[in-house]
Amino acid sequence: MRTHLVWLRNDLRINDNLALNAACRDADAKVIALFIATPQQWRQHDMAPKQAAFIYDSLLELQQALADRGIELLTQACDDFAASVDLLVACCERHRVDALFYNYQYELNERKRDAEAEKRLDRAGVVCQGFDDSVMLAPGSVQTGDGKMYKVYTPFSKAFVRRLQLALPACVSAPKPRSGGAVKVIKAAERFDYPMEEYDRERFPPGENAALQRLRHFARQPITDYCVARDTPSVDGTSRLSVYLATGVLSPRQCLHRVLKEHPRALEESRLFTWLNELIWREFYRHLMVAFPALCRHQPFVEWTRHVDWQRNEEHFTAWKTGKTGYPIVDAAMRQMKALGWMHNRLRMITASFLVKDLLIDWHEGERYFMQNLIDGDLAANNGGWQWAASTGTDPVPYFRIFNPTTQGERFDSQGAFIRQWLPELKEVPDSDIHQPQRWAEKNHKRLDYPSPIVEHKQARKKTLDAFVRAKNAA
């Protein structure tokens, strides 16, 4: 009997899993699956403890779903990617595997790991098949007229949509139960030797069934209001699907097809396209990471920005991390992330801009801190977002465009509903002063248990502009 092995990584689902589907096409083959935890590598990549816990819980659900279809999921652990290749090869030898099926990961270390695995398994006579599973369109398939990767998002997006309008990427079905029937889960997935923190299971219920249920709900009605509601952090106006996409519990193709099933003209109607546009941003950053591998090494895309004289100020950095900068919208957002492992997308832009443009602290520091805390942490999206905010990446916000944190708060949380939720020390401050609470305290002779602003925005803005101009002139 032929034996097929599915090497699972960031693809913890049975529906629309290209590698799993391909492995199961041969009805006569025995199919087994393997997940290898690499805690030491996760530490190097700053995986958030909440994300590790979410992956573990989703893995347990996947293990049962596969067992119901007659597929055993083996779980093993080792320190790093090099050791994981040894485990994979040993597993193939032990189970006399004829073919390996896996879905590509596009980060540089992961690509090197996969190349080494294919090289060794090829020598052992194991056929390897890889698939572009975590994207709608494969990296390198959306290019400029001269065959290069787009460096600006808007033309990339237009070209991407044209490709989708010509032919949608297919969604594949979950595997049917194997002829031998269900198998027993002899041993649940071993708990990772990695720090794991509890997370809000009501907000982020683990597993594929929960992800599909949330997608169906969002695609019916909330998506129609997304273009308006998405910028108001006090409103539950986002999909909250990012954690499922980041860990592969859900595929972007499933998202695309579900939205188009509910709203067939979503690619043409701007109001409905707004959310799909966010998915295309996700694709843009993945395609860029493959075209420009230096991004995986956290290198700035704009060369001259290497010369920016970033400030090293631990007091300011700590204030930013702990939500004590004296700017309420920034502080509320940072406390939200610390508590939930998640932050509203608009607030990610505001807090990143504040760290880089008001405090003039190196964006690498913020990028790493986000990865260490976000349950939906994703290298491509996180790096892309930070380089956008820092004006160091491809198609970034211009360096002279600097968010005013007070104005941003007034615009997106005008009555302070979100701020009061995360800054209870400001509960007595009226709406008119919620974005400048110290002004109210001084005027009314009150004492607040809340800091004054650690920098004055106007002065900080000038300092940042000067630093960027010097860097540009030095290039």
Side-chain angles (χ1 to χ4, degrees):
M1 176 183 287
R2 292 176 298 281
T3 300
H4 292 174
L5 176 65
V6 183
W7 185 15
L8 295 168
R9 293 91 71 88
N10 262 28
D11 46 6
L12 306 182
R13 64 185 186 279
I14 61 172
N15 290 282
D16 196 36
N17 186 318
L18 300 185
L20 178 63
N21 179 273
C24 294
R25 287 174 191 161
D26 185 343
D28 297 325
K30 178 183 179 180
V31 179
I32 56 178
L34 173 67
F35 180 88
I36 303 174
T38 52
Q40 188 57 42
Q41 197 82 40
W42 294 348
R43 288 182 176 89
Q44 293 176 22
H45 291 175
D46 297 310
M47 180 189 284
K50 282 184 171 64
Q51 186 175 90
F54 181 87
I55 290 173
Y56 176 77
D57 290 340
S58 295
L59 194 62
L60 293 179
E61 298 216 6
L62 176 63
Q63 194 169 36
Q64 185 60 58
L66 288 170
D68 292 343
R69 287 159 175 78
I71 301 171
E72 183 180 7
L73 172 58
L74 309 172
T75 60
Q76 297 191 35
C78 58
D79 279 345
D80 54 27
F81 285 166
S84 72
V85 174
D86 294 335
L87 276 180
L88 176 67
V89 172
C91 181
C92 288
E93 292 176 351
R94 184 166 62 254
H95 293 276
R96 298 182 179 180
V97 170
D98 299 286
L100 173 75
F101 300 80
Y102 71 98
N103 294 315
Y104 296 133
Q105 290 181 291
Y106 302 115
E107 297 85 350
L108 187 58
N109 290 338
E110 283 80 346
R111 291 165 67 192
K112 289 180 177 178
R113 172 203 60 196
D114 294 350
E116 177 63 20
E118 287 216 16
K119 179 180 176 182
R120 291 179 58 181
L121 289 176
D122 182 64
R123 289 201 297 261
V126 177
V127 176
C128 299
Q129 296 185 43
F131 301 86
D132 288 296
D133 179 76
S134 68
V135 290
M136 289 183 275
L137 300 177
S141 65
V142 181
Q143 297 183 325
T144 64
D146 55 358
K148 296 181 180 179
M149 174 61 199
Y150 286 95
K151 297 179 182 179
V152 178
Y153 175 73
T154 299
F156 172 86
S157 175
K158 290 179 178 179
F160 197 97
V161 170
R162 286 196 295 270
R163 284 286 308 275
L164 294 181
Q165 290 170 332
L166 288 173
L168 292 177
C171 274
V172 300
S173 59
K176 296 178 179 179
R178 311 301 289 171
S179 57
V183 299
K184 290 184 179 180
V185 177
I186 299 174
K187 181 175 65 172
E190 294 184 7
R191 194 167 177 84
F192 308 142
D193 181 21
Y194 192 83
M196 289 194 278
E197 290 180 4
E198 277 301 312
Y199 58 93
D200 188 336
R201 293 164 186 267
E202 289 189 12
R203 187 179 294 267
F204 307 111
E208 184 175 5
N209 288 335
L212 291 172
Q213 183 178 352
R214 176 162 292 177
L215 172 61
R216 293 187 190 108
H217 167 75
F218 179 75
R220 289 192 191 104
Q221 176 58 38
I223 193 173
T224 62
D225 301 320
Y226 176 78
C227 61
V228 176
R230 66 173 184 150
D231 280 326
T232 307
S234 61
V235 173
D236 185 17
T238 64
S239 69
R240 283 192 274 128
L241 292 171
S242 56
V243 62
Y244 303 105
L245 287 165
T247 55
V249 177
L250 194 65
S251 84
R253 296 178 302 279
Q254 288 173 296
C255 295
L256 174 67
H257 280 273
R258 174 52 59 175
V259 170
L260 290 176
K261 182 176 181 179
E262 299 289 344
H263 310 280
R265 294 189 56 79
L267 287 172
E268 291 84 28
E269 293 185 24
S270 59
R271 181 171 62 93
L272 294 169
F273 180 69
T274 304
W275 187 70
L276 292 179
N277 192 53
E278 294 300 316
L279 287 183
I280 298 175
W281 268 107
R282 179 180 180 273
E283 299 268 324
F284 182 55
Y285 289 138
R286 270 171 165 65
H287 287 223
L288 280 170
M289 195 165 58
V290 174
F292 305 100
L295 295 175
C296 294
R297 297 192 180 100
H298 311 281
Q299 299 300 310
F301 194 85
V302 179
E303 185 66 26
W304 65 262
T305 61
R306 295 175 186 273
H307 301 287
V308 175
D309 184 18
W310 303 111
Q311 304 298 295
R312 299 192 64 84
N313 189 318
E314 285 302 319
E315 183 179 344
H316 282 180
F317 188 42
T318 298
W320 178 79
K321 290 190 294 184
T322 56
K324 296 181 179 179
T325 68
Y327 286 92
I329 194 65
V330 173
D331 295 338
M334 295 303 293
R335 294 191 202 181
Q336 179 189 50
M337 182 173 69
K338 193 64 178 177
L340 301 180
W342 181 86
M343 187 191 293
H344 188 280
N345 186 57
R346 168 59 58 177
L347 301 179
R348 297 188 195 204
M349 291 188 279
I350 294 172
T351 54
S353 176
F354 185 82
L355 182 74
V356 176
K357 302 289 181 66
D358 281 83
L359 302 184
L360 199 55
I361 290 177
D362 192 338
W363 61 272
H364 292 92
E365 300 292 337
E367 179 194 22
R368 184 181 183 193
Y369 186 72
F370 267 34
M371 285 298 291
Q372 290 170 339
N373 286 276
L374 288 172
I375 194 171
D376 62 354
D378 173 275
L379 173 62
N382 190 52
N383 178 270
W386 272 95
Q387 292 223 45
W388 181 89
S391 304
T392 64
T394 178
D395 197 19
V397 60
Y399 74 87
F400 49 81
R401 181 185 170 194
I402 299 177
F403 288 164
N404 182 319
T406 301
T407 303
Q408 290 289 305
E410 292 170 346
R411 181 178 177 186
F412 298 111
D413 190 32
S414 59
Q415 295 182 320
F418 177 79
I419 289 171
R420 290 190 184 86
Q421 180 183 355
W422 295 102
L423 305 180
E425 61 267 43
L426 300 183
K427 63 182 179 181
E428 294 183 9
V429 181
D431 295 354
S432 58
D433 292 302
I434 192 65
H435 302 286
Q436 299 183 67
Q438 291 296 349
R439 181 180 65 183
W440 172 81
E442 292 172 7
K443 184 170 56 178
N444 293 276
H445 307 290
K446 299 280 189 178
R447 182 170 183 176
L448 286 176
D449 183 22
Y450 183 72
S452 297
I454 58 175
V455 293
E456 199 279 318
H457 173 69
K458 187 176 181 180
Q459 294 176 0
R461 181 179 186 279
K462 184 180 184 307
K463 184 177 180 180
T464 296
L465 289 175
D466 290 344
F468 271 80
V469 169
R470 287 196 302 272
K472 196 169 186 178
N473 291 338

